[in-house]
């Protein structure tokens, strides 16, 4: 929590749940941390993004992502149905707006796991959102995780590494940083942030 500047009155916490945005460089383990947290605490609602990316082995429509084609994604954008959207590594990703707003209005904490571009767009449209940056223990560890996936061709990995350098430099834009040294520890810290009203 930031200290209250002298001469100002502390703002009481908002009684309504906030939107929490988890972001960080590709390969840092965002999905792993979120999956672990939701296994232990399934009541935390995670927004499912729409993407034009093809499913990876084991991924299912409506679970990891809503897999759509370019034409469907264009319609979502044109109709204002996405809270944010961004292009990354040649694919587009976006957060369906209505589901997020419905959950917040119902008093439920909402978690978004999105990239840097998306986090910035959410901050612009919902300044009250809490932005959490997930950082790797080191650059070498991030490179190891990205190259060890074995699911992407070398040119995509190179693009992801270049993007990761830019994403790491954006850490000061976030409200809180968590370092992913242990999935269990980070999941617990993230849960505490999500549930703080």
């Amino acid at each position: 929590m930031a200290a209250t500047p002298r001469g100002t009155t502390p703002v009481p916490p908002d009684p309504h749940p906030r939107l929490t945005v988890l972001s960080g460089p590709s390969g840092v383990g965002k999905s792993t941390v979120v999956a672990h947290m939701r296994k232990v605490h399934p009541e935390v609602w995670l927004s499912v993004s729409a993407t034009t990316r093809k499913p990876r082995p084991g991924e299912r429509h409506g679970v990891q992502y809503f897999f759509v084609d370019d034409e469907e994604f264009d319609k979502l954008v044109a109709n204002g149905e996405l809270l944010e959207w961004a292009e990354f590594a040649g694919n587009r990703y976006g957060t369906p707006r209505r589901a997020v707003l419905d959950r917040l209005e119902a008093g439920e904490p909402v978690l978004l796991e999105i990239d840097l571009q998306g986090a910035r767009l959410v901050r612009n449209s919902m300044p009250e959102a809490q932005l959490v940056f997930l950082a790797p223990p080191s650059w070498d560890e991030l490179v190891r995780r990205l190259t060890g996936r074995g699911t992407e061709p070398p040119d995509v990995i190179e693009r992801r590494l270049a993007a990761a350098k830019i994403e790491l430099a954006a850490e000061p834009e976030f409200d809180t940083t968590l370092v992913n040294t242990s999935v269990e520890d980070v999941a617990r810290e993230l849960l505490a942030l999500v549930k703080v009203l």
Side-chain angles (χ1 to χ4, degrees), residues 74-90:
D74 289 341
K75 283 182 189 165
L76 292 172
V77 172
N79 295 333
E81 291 178 46
L82 298 177
L83 180 63
E84 58 77 32
W85 71 272
E87 187 164 333
F88 186 75

Side-chain angles (χ1 to χ4, degrees), residues 30-46 63 111 113 183-184 186-188 190-191 195:
K30 298 183 293 292
S31 301
T32 305
V33 167
V34 169
H36 180 80
M37 186 185 75
R38 292 191 69 236
K39 192 165 74 176
V40 182
H41 292 277
E43 73 277 9
V44 174
W45 189 74
L46 175 71
V63 178
L111 178 62
E113 178 210 321
V183 170
E184 292 79 8
V186 172
R188 198 163 44 247
L190 180 61
L191 179 70
K195 292 202 152 188

